[in-house]
Amino acid sequence: MSENAAELDGYFPTYGEALAAHAQERPEQIALRYGERTTTYSEYDRHATQIANGLAAMGLKKGDRVAYFGKNTDHAVELALGTVRGGMVFVPIIWRLAPAEVDFIMQDSGADVLFREDEFTGVTFDGRIVSMEQEFEAWRDAQPDTPVTTEVGAHDPLLQLYTSGTTGLPKGVVLSHHNGTSTRPMMQKHGIYWYCADEGDSMIFAMPYGHIAGVGSALGATLGAQELIVHREFDPALLIRDVQKYRVKWMFLVPAAIRLLLAHPDAQNADFSSVKGLTYGASPIPLDLLKQGVERLKCDFAQLYGLTETFGTVVSLSPEDHKPENVVGREHVMKSAGKPIPGVEIAILDENLQPLPADTIGEVAIRGDAVMLGYWNRPEENAKALIEGGWFRTGDAGILCEEGYLYIQDRIKDMIITGGENVYPAEVESAIFGHPDISDIAIIGVPDEKWGEAVKAVIVRREGSDLDADGVIAYARERIAGFKCPKSVDFIDALPRNPSGKILRRELRAPYWEGMDRQVS
């Protein structure tokens, strides 16, 4: 790389060091706000130390996994910082997953302790469980605040986030401190203000904690010394209220949430004048929604593209590209993901992993400090994804144009993104295929105005069966998370397959995406 983030001003090797520095420089500034409860940076720092010491007293050591199952809370954010200050690895689990999916993650990760909200007592664990409501505060406050002696380095693992796999089994993405801390100083140097809010700025955190957009936002606010206003989950009425009450400057939402926000009756007369910027991800924003957003919020919009494997953002479409006066005549740019952020290289590879020229479709590959350490206990997957030269194969098909904009065309891995959630067809097919009245099944993503994409099942019934859509959906809901379940079902006589027997998903998707510029919403 031509620039070294570690040599730039404002670089912190670890999140624990960042928190300690902010506690020293701004001890009374509010770091976390959750309902009426506030935590200053001084308190945040002390709590993180107590949590690290408490985990050590349980017998955990550097590199051990600490799992969390619940929604967004200030205590969950403190737990993350305490875990990583102790040199352990934080494993936040998406709360919408089904119990069987959570069981797999707990076993695969080898977590030694589970911190769990009481709302999710259906999720069990053979090891130590700490109730967030009934035990956490008393347990935390009983621990000493003596300095943690474990040495934690920039390239030590920090997070293990689970993303659904093409085979149906989730994969643990292992990310280091440096994967996350290296981005901010690079962005600051190059003036990418919409990704690195100023110290003291307030931002709302409402995306699910088990996603990189969720826990990554919480860690990013800590790194940048912001005031993080924690919402348990996205609630447009609460967001509108808190923007006005706390004069919020920054938000990150998926386009589906932006649409819900603007459609809420409270948005009509709300005062959004404090909002400086709104970043969004998971899918491009429709032009009509962008126009509504700019007109109502009157703030900068920026698109962020990235993956769990890259600690989130690696490509961004700038506010300048979103301004209505700049969009005219350049609408095609709004269909792009943007340009690589400083410190990130993008290449388009052919099937032989050789680079392709501009304006040629191929597989998107990424190189930079943000690329993961690897998949947990998945050597074969690592060998496929992490290739020579430090490149990571994303599995997304795209085009890099002469101007440097990246256009995502399709998903080589067939992933569906619905309302910001990742769904893999193989996982859903595996869950449904056991139905006695199903002879064959394919899962595809189809356009959906509200969620961007919706999950559709295309099914071949067994001979003599009268299985209907409601029966399929009900069967799925017993086995997988609700957001992964089909929203609609088509019944056909036979699935299209190639000579080797592979389902031709593109052929199944084609009628639904006719007239669209690309096969990804």
Side-chain angles (χ1 to χ4, degrees):
M1 306 295 292
S2 58
E3 294 180 290
N4 186 350
E7 297 174 354
L8 297 177
D9 291 340
Y11 172 75
F12 292 102
T14 70
Y15 285 92
E17 290 173 80
L19 177 56
H22 301 327
Q24 183 70 29
E25 296 170 2
R26 52 187 69 236
E28 300 308 312
Q29 179 190 306
I30 292 175
L32 304 172
R33 188 185 294 276
Y34 181 67
E36 298 303 314
R37 186 165 60 207
T38 59
T39 305
T40 66
Y41 266 96
S42 176
E43 293 168 329
Y44 186 13
D45 183 59
R46 185 177 73 256
H47 290 167
T49 294
Q50 290 174 300
I51 291 166
N53 287 329
L55 292 171
M58 286 183 185
L60 276 73
K61 58 188 183 302
K62 184 175 180 179
D64 286 346
R65 269 58 182 171
V66 175
Y68 172 75
F69 192 73
K71 298 183 180 181
N72 306 339
T73 70
D74 53 345
H75 287 163
V77 177
E78 289 184 343
L79 177 62
L81 264 294
T83 297
V84 304
R85 173 164 282 175
M88 299 144 204
V89 182
F90 190 54
V91 186
I93 303 172
I94 300 169
W95 62 266
R96 296 176 69 184
L97 295 181
E101 295 171 304
V102 179
D103 287 345
F104 175 84
I105 291 172
M106 291 298 296
Q107 293 175 20
D108 184 76
S109 68
D112 294 273
V113 59
L114 171 64
F115 288 80
R116 183 191 65 190
E117 289 196 304
D118 290 348
E119 180 180 343
F120 304 103
T121 51
V123 172
T124 59
F125 176 53
D126 291 336
R128 174 73 185 273
I129 297 177
V130 177
S131 165
M132 295 300 291
E133 290 90 344
Q134 299 179 44
E135 300 178 71
F136 178 78
E137 277 196 15
W139 168 80
R140 178 199 67 194
D141 294 344
Q143 310 307 320
D145 60 2
T146 51
V148 176
T149 58
T150 302
E151 292 188 9
V152 183
H155 297 283
D156 285 336
L158 159 85
L159 289 174
Q160 189 161 311
L161 300 179
Y162 277 80
T163 177
S164 298
T166 56
T167 62
L169 294 176
K171 295 178 295 186
V173 177
V174 183
L175 299 164
S176 72
H177 288 262
H178 184 73
N179 288 154
T181 61
S182 61
T183 301
R184 182 175 171 83
M186 297 288 282
M187 301 288 250
Q188 286 180 310
K189 178 181 177 182
H190 292 271
I192 314 296
Y193 65 90
W194 60 93
Y195 191 76
C196 50
D198 292 336
E199 296 178 349
D201 280 0
S202 55
M203 63 178 294
I204 287 179
F205 159 43
M207 293 294 99
Y209 204 37
H211 290 270
I212 190 60
V215 69
S217 294
L219 289 169
T222 301
L223 185 67
Q226 280 101 48
E227 176 185 326
L228 189 69
I229 301 168
V230 183
H231 288 183
R232 281 186 62 74
E233 55 188 310
F234 173 70
D235 177 340
L238 178 60
L239 187 144
I240 292 167
R241 188 203 75 178
D242 279 2
V243 163
Q244 299 173 102
K245 185 176 180 179
Y246 300 117
R247 307 303 296 161
V248 169
K249 289 188 177 182
W250 299 95
M251 296 183 286
F252 173 86
L253 298 171
V254 297
I258 297 173
R259 190 181 295 278
L260 292 173
L261 169 67
L262 296 176
H264 195 279
D266 292 350
Q268 185 173 354
N269 298 311
D271 177 7
F272 292 115
S273 61
S274 66
V275 180
K276 184 175 181 180
L278 189 155
T279 53
Y280 65 92
S283 67
I285 191 167
L287 285 178
D288 67 325
L289 182 58
L290 171 64
K291 291 173 183 174
Q292 292 176 40
V294 171
E295 181 179 335
R296 186 67 199 87
L297 301 178
K298 294 181 173 59
C299 69
D300 286 342
F301 278 68
Q303 182 182 168
L304 308 179
Y305 164 82
L307 303 94
T308 304
E309 291 90 339
T310 60
F311 214 106
T313 305
V314 286
V315 172
S316 179
L317 189 65
S318 75
E320 284 301 311
D321 285 319
H322 284 76
K323 294 187 184 302
E325 62 270 23
N326 295 337
V327 170
V328 177
R330 300 180 74 245
E331 286 82 359
H332 62 284
V333 170
M334 280 298 301
K335 298 171 186 174
S336 78
K339 293 182 177 181
I341 64 173
V344 170
E345 295 176 80
I346 300 289
I348 306 297
L349 307 179
D350 65 17
E351 59 186 12
N352 297 315
L353 306 183
Q354 297 302 306
L356 290 165
D359 298 314
T360 307
I361 190 169
E363 182 175 5
V364 179
I366 297 168
R367 180 163 66 180
D369 288 341
V371 171
M372 66 175 177
L373 297 177
Y375 295 115
W376 178 246
N377 290 335
R378 298 286 195 280
E380 292 183 2
E381 294 276 5
N382 286 330
K384 293 176 184 177
L386 299 171
I387 60 176
E388 187 177 355
W391 291 97
F392 164 64
R393 297 172 60 189
T394 67
D396 284 347
I399 294 171
L400 195 62
C401 75
E402 289 281 3
E403 293 181 88
Y405 290 93
L406 175 65
Y407 293 80
I408 303 298
Q409 299 297 304
D410 204 345
R411 295 190 187 89
I412 292 172
K413 298 175 184 174
D414 293 319
M415 185 175 74
I416 300 164
I417 298 181
T418 176
E421 300 279 6
N422 296 341
V423 177
Y424 280 90
E427 185 179 13
V428 183
E429 291 163 0
S430 177
I432 298 176
F433 193 71
H435 194 292
D437 290 332
I438 293 178
S439 174
D440 208 353
I441 181 173
I443 297 295
I444 60 173
V446 297
D448 185 271
E449 183 176 340
K450 183 176 182 180
W451 303 115
E453 283 183 278
V455 178
K456 174 180 280 291
V458 182
I459 287 175
V460 179
R461 297 186 184 96
R462 290 197 185 279
E463 188 174 352
S465 168
D466 60 356
L467 178 67
D468 61 13
D470 289 343
V472 173
I473 295 170
Y475 186 83
R477 285 191 176 277
E478 294 177 356
R479 289 159 177 79
I480 51 176
F483 69 87
K484 299 178 183 179
C485 294
K487 298 297 185 291
S488 61
V489 182
D490 285 353
F491 295 95
I492 61 176
D493 294 332
L495 295 178
R497 295 179 181 271
N498 66 13
S500 64
K502 183 176 180 181
I503 297 172
L504 300 175
R505 296 183 199 279
R506 185 184 293 271
E507 190 172 312
L508 289 172
R509 289 195 301 253
Y512 304 100
W513 292 91
E514 187 175 355
M516 299 283 185
D517 293 298
R518 64 189 198 168
Q519 299 296 297
V520 182
S521 183

